[in-house]
Amino acid sequence: MTKVPTAPRAWVARAVSTAEITVPAVLVVLAFAARFALPGGVMRAVFVVPAILWVPGRCFISRLPIPRSMDTWLVPLAVLFSIAALIATSLVVYAMLGHVDLSTLPLWTALGSLLVCRPRAESAPGRSAFRETHLVRFAALFCVGTLVAAGIVAGVFRVLPAQQPTGYLAFSFAGSYATLSGVMPAQAGSILDVPVAVNAAQESLSGLTVAVTLDGKPDPGMQAVAVRLADPELGAATIELTVPVGCLSRFSFSLQRHNVQLRLLDLYTTTDHLAACGGH
Amino acid sequence: MTSAEPKHQKVPTTPTAIWHFVIWPLAVTGAILLTWSYSLAATRQEADQTHYAVFWAGMLLLTVPTIAVCCSRQAAPRMRLAWLLAYGVFTFLPKLLRDPSTPLFHDEVAHWRQTVNLVASGKPFQPDPLIGIISRYPGLHATVASVSATTGLNVWQSAQLLLVLAHVIALLGAYVLGEATLGSARAGAVVALFYSFNSSYLYFDTELGYESLAIPFFLWSLACVAKLHRAHDRKERIAWAAAAAVLGCAVAPIHPLTALILVLALSLVSAATLISRLRGNTLPGTAAPTLVVTGAVAVAIVLWITAVAPGTVSYLSPYFGGGIGQLSGLFYGSGGGRTLFSASTEPAYEQGAAFLCPAITAVLAFAAIANTWHKRKKPDRPRWGPMRLGLALFGLIYFPSLPFILVSTSAEGARRSWGFTYVALGVLITPTVLALVDSRRWRSIALQRAARTAAIVGACILLVGNTSAGLDEDYRFPGPFVYGSDTRSISTELIETADWFDQHIGNGELVVTDRYTGLEFVRDANAWTAAPSPGFPAYDLYYDVGKPSPDLIAELSTSHYAYFIVDRRMALQLPAIGVYFEPDEPFAYASADPITTAALTQYEQYPWTTLIYQSDDYSIYRFDFDAVGAVVSGGPR
């Protein structure tokens, strides 16, 4: 069994008491500084997380006469109380304002919790200082070990083979035609430039054409348009159409290779009231 | 309260540095094996099951020595704690490595989307497209959103940080609960380990779900009550009561099921305390704070459900009522049952272990009760404190929950209850386990080793069997595409389709689609998927050939559903989990495909469904309800 000092010194007790208030305060100051000075990411998280997930709970616990023998468990308890505080403050603020800014509220919660922070009742200061020193050393070594282990595992994860993605070929409208709201009202005889796009993975885009039929019949005036390749996985084409007179006309865009239909799109136009064709 | 330690226990010896050091190489090697098992699973041939063996080799590499250290009489408390902490972090890996970059499980997508929307809008309680009830329990989302918004980490990274903390803290909570109830750190460590063998621990309670955050509050609230029962003075009792009440009340805005189960557990402890107090078997001053904690937590939960989440009752009641109904139907031979592991691809040893788990726990629980009963009139009889008695009663609920695993409505609920009851079962059986390991009957070294080996083998069976019973292979391992699986229906094609939708159509659109396509559209395109039901039978668009009913069209139109997405494999394959949309759909768990190719391709002919995107398997249509009934000028289609 590890030896414990039997004659605690007064300055040790004072140092522990001071640290019990100053450490949370310093963490909150660092968190505020990091929140506004550092870009979002791991570095900022290193400074912010202890302040929002430990300080509020730690300060709450300092008001409870929990015996020093429980010091080992104060960290998990403090984390849980801090989470409870975060939930409670966000709900209260939302109830009052109808909106909650979670990018700063947790920091204000931590700052506010400092108001209730006080040194915990001292049963055996030398013992508690000794215990806390060991606890911090243990936690630091454990964190370092975990980080090293995580680094090794992450490296292995990257090296080992993963699942191979499967191929596909997608055909779609592009530009404003992708957001069509259904049957498109148009002037009879007007010219429509309809952009289409082809996306693929592990599929060749060479030799693709887009053919158009009107109401299910090939229009001799409309030639198949070749798909231009922007890169090996992305192709595009623009098809020029003349809108026919009619309450409802259907243009069908067929993506083809060697006259074999691969994919299909539809565009419906109306130059009259849709109701004349049975719609509303 | 009696200690779980035998009287001939040796004084713990100083931990040797080697035992502290050996954690790390074992943990790293185990983690590498886990990673390798996922790689094997992702790149394997269809029938190959090597990944299971590699996975369990990795898991047991750290689990077995952890069990040995925790059960050892010689281990110092600090060494047990170090091993338990390492084990807690290590057991987070199976879920993390399953897909470290993105939410994958069904519930995860829902909670992740809810949190992302909370960060963006600053408004909790917003409706959720996948699981309606979670919008009324914003505790998890507020916490993750707080971490994400203040640190600048994305929501998924913030969630992982919080979840690993919750996972480890839950294990420590079980340790403190066991230690405080049974009076020994060794017993506490064994209770914690036993708790970690429950079917939810490795995967379900490590996912981004509200139960994962609620569990540590549940365990620590009970642990604080256990500490209350061991407190030396009134001030300390009040401190523990306050801590227990705050932690218990905090569950109310996090997770409904955990909240209700916590009230049940606290009620049983309170009843045991009250009876014990009336019989004069309890220290004065414990009954009142225990009752106050139970009352405070119950009131907080009732208030929350009444004022904020009244839909909770209708959400949970089908699982209870339906389960009992189906179970009685099964009893009287009118059907409703399910065959365990019927479509399972898990290896035979896992399935065997799953069937052994209830048997092992039943034998140990029976031995614990029988031992106490047998010695009830002896002067040195083991005296159960009210905490131990209340938890034992709570733990015994595990056994009546077992039949519910046989009916489809309640199988999941039964499995999930084990995540709670297992810690209490641990409190019940740990003294028996330790007594067996330490028994003086094992006179030779060989017999003592055999007893310890048997304990370790039993523990490994519980871990393997319960994990196998908890989740199917599709959730646990990556692998080839599986149609109709929440986790394995994701393909590059689906991801690109959802990306196209997000980039060209925008997010927040209301869409009608199936469960598996919908998950990806919710995740990548923030789409709002229809939730078909008998009152809103959007699934009829897939089942029926011909024009849908005027009522359905009116509902789709007035609700502003704009897009309709079809996976053409719906007409070719049955979904792996048995449903295309939700378990209450008309043809759920059908043995023949109710969807035809004609029903799916008919929309290529209708002017009210304009085909705007088509890939190998997916088609996206734009609804135009004004064109319902219209025919093209060139002739009817």
Side-chain angles (χ1 to χ4, degrees), chain A residues 13 68 75 116-117 119 138 151 153 164 178 189-190 209 217 226-227 239 245 257 260 270 277 280:
Chain A
R68 282 283 182 182
V75 174
V116 297
C117 230
F138 173 78
V153 175
Q164 292 300 310
S190 60
T209 57
K217 297 164 197 151
V227 173
I239 297 100
V245 178
R257 181 180 283 133
V260 175
T270 178
C277 284
H280 299 289

Side-chain angles (χ1 to χ4, degrees), chain B residues 312-545:
Chain B
T312 305
V313 178
S314 57
Y315 172 72
L316 291 175
S317 53
Y319 294 101
F320 293 109
I324 292 169
Q326 276 195 340
L327 197 62
S328 59
L330 192 67
F331 183 75
Y332 291 111
S334 57
R338 59 192 280 272
T339 308
L340 301 179
F341 293 108
S342 60
S344 171
T345 51
E346 287 155 343
Y349 62 85
E350 276 203 3
Q351 296 184 27
F355 284 108
L356 279 175
C357 288
I360 292 172
T361 45
V363 167
L364 290 172
F366 179 77
I369 294 166
N371 185 44
T372 308
W373 181 258
H374 181 65
K375 293 179 179 171
R376 70 189 185 283
K377 289 182 181 168
K378 294 185 179 174
D380 64 336
R381 69 185 186 277
R383 195 179 281 258
W384 288 22
M387 193 70 207
R388 186 169 164 188
L389 184 61
L391 285 177
L393 290 171
F394 175 62
L396 288 172
I397 293 172
Y398 168 76
F399 296 106
S401 79
L402 287 173
F404 287 92
I405 205 79
L406 297 169
V407 293
S408 54
T409 312
S410 297
E412 191 190 346
R415 260 197 313 267
R416 285 173 62 180
S417 74
W418 303 346
F420 302 95
T421 51
Y422 240 64
V423 71
L425 261 184
V427 169
L428 172 66
I429 69 168
T430 290
T432 307
V433 171
L434 292 179
L436 282 171
V437 171
D438 296 336
S439 175
R440 287 172 182 273
R441 281 181 218 165
W442 322 128
R443 294 188 188 282
S444 69
I445 300 282
L447 280 175
Q448 288 171 15
R449 283 185 181 157
R452 286 175 204 155
T453 307
I456 289 173
V457 169
C460 292
I461 289 173
L462 290 177
L463 177 64
V464 174
N466 280 327
T467 303
S468 175
L471 279 180
D472 60 20
E473 183 183 16
D474 293 355
Y475 263 78
R476 288 170 58 192
F477 289 103
F481 179 89
V482 174
Y483 176 71
S485 155
D486 289 339
T487 52
R488 296 260 289 272
S489 289
I490 299 169
S491 62
T492 317
E493 181 191 355
L494 176 56
I495 293 169
E496 293 298 328
T497 301
D499 275 353
W500 178 88
F501 192 89
D502 183 41
Q503 287 170 18
H504 292 84
I505 310 293
N507 57 40
E509 294 288 347
L510 275 72
V511 302
V512 177
T513 189
D514 63 280
R515 173 186 173 109
Y516 315 100
T517 311
L519 275 176
E520 188 59 31
F521 271 70
V522 169
R523 183 167 56 182
D524 279 9
N526 193 14
W528 285 80
T529 51
S533 64
F536 175 45
Y539 34 59
D540 286 351
L541 292 172
Y542 297 87
Y543 293 141
D544 298 342
V545 178

Side-chain angles (χ1 to χ4, degrees), chain B residues 23-109:
Chain B
I23 296 175
W24 300 107
L26 286 180
V28 170
T29 312
I32 288 172
L33 286 172
L34 293 184
T35 313
W36 186 33
S37 75
Y38 286 132
S39 176
L40 285 172
T43 55
R44 75 196 141 112
Q45 298 298 315
E46 196 65 48
D48 188 9
Q49 291 189 327
T50 316
H51 55 286
Y52 280 98
V54 176
F55 175 85
W56 285 117
M59 278 303 299
L60 298 181
L61 197 63
L62 190 77
T63 305
V64 169
T66 305
I67 297 167
V69 170
C70 288
C71 289
S72 166
R73 278 180 288 162
Q74 279 76 35
R78 200 137 41 91
M79 187 162 77
R80 277 200 204 98
L81 185 59
W83 277 84
L84 212 53
L85 269 175
Y87 176 75
V89 176
F90 182 78
T91 48
F92 188 73
L93 288 178
K95 170 65 187 72
L96 179 70
L97 292 171
R98 177 67 180 85
D99 193 337
S101 59
T102 187
L104 185 67
F105 293 4
H106 178 271
D107 293 7
E108 279 191 322
V109 177

Side-chain angles (χ1 to χ4, degrees), chain A residues 189-210:
Chain A
S190 60
I191 306 294
L192 304 178
D193 289 325
V194 182
V196 293
V198 184
N199 283 279
Q202 299 176 33
E203 292 261 2
S204 169
L205 294 188
S206 62
L208 290 176
T209 57
V210 179

Side-chain angles (χ1 to χ4, degrees), chain A:
Chain A
M1 197 64 136
T2 318
K3 287 181 182 172
V4 171
T6 50
R9 295 176 186 168
W11 67 269
V12 174
R14 274 201 304 277
V16 169
S17 297
T18 312
E20 285 188 343
I21 294 185
T22 51
V23 169
V26 168
L27 285 175
V28 172
V29 170
L30 284 174
F32 266 101
R35 167 66 184 82
F36 293 105
L38 292 176
V42 175
M43 271 310 288
R44 196 207 279 180
V46 167
F47 290 104
V48 169
V49 167
I52 64 172
L53 289 185
W54 180 73
V55 170
R58 181 67 180 75
C59 291
F60 175 76
I61 288 170
S62 72
R63 291 277 166 176
L64 298 177
I66 290 175
R68 282 283 182 182
S69 60
M70 277 296 287
D71 276 5
T72 310
W73 308 115
L74 289 192
V75 174
L77 269 176
V79 171
L80 293 180
F81 282 125
S82 297
I83 291 171
L86 287 181
I87 295 170
T89 49
S90 59
L91 293 180
V92 168
V93 169
Y94 175 70
M96 288 164 59
L97 306 177
H99 176 268
V100 52
D101 178 9
L102 291 169
S103 69
T104 52
L105 180 69
L107 296 174
W108 293 116
T109 305
L111 185 67
S113 70
L114 292 177
L115 297 173
V116 297
C117 230
R118 68 175 188 186
R120 296 190 51 236
E122 201 63 49
S123 55
R127 176 180 284 267
S128 76
F130 180 80
R131 195 181 286 135
E132 289 205 358
T133 311
H134 273 255
L135 203 60
V136 169
R137 197 177 69 180
F138 173 78
L141 284 174
F142 192 87
C143 286
V144 170
T146 305
L147 286 175
V148 171
I152 295 169
V153 175
V156 172
F157 185 83
R158 283 177 192 280
V159 171
L160 285 172
Q163 198 158 354
Q164 292 300 310
T166 48
Y168 69 92
L169 176 70
F171 183 43
S172 62
F173 286 122
S176 59
Y177 281 82
T179 53
L180 280 171
S181 57
V183 177
M184 193 173 86
Q187 291 279 337
S190 60
I191 306 294
L192 304 178
D193 289 325
V194 182
V196 293
V198 184
N199 283 279
Q202 299 176 33
E203 292 261 2
S204 169
L205 294 188
S206 62
L208 290 176
T209 57
V210 179
V212 182
T213 58
L214 175 60
D215 295 341
K217 297 164 197 151
D219 186 336
M222 284 191 259
Q223 297 296 315
V225 177
V227 173
R228 304 180 308 276
L229 299 189
D231 66 49
E233 295 189 339
L234 183 63
T238 302
I239 297 100
E240 197 174 272
L241 307 172
T242 305
V243 178
V245 178
C247 57
L248 186 62
S249 304
R250 177 197 188 194
F251 291 101
S252 295
F253 302 79
S254 169
L255 181 70
Q256 300 179 341
R257 181 180 283 133
H258 309 308
N259 289 326
V260 175
Q261 180 180 305
L262 302 173
R263 303 285 180 267
L264 187 70
L265 298 177
D266 282 326
L267 174 65
Y268 292 92
T269 61
T270 178
T271 59
D272 198 350
H273 294 295
L274 193 56
C277 284
H280 299 289

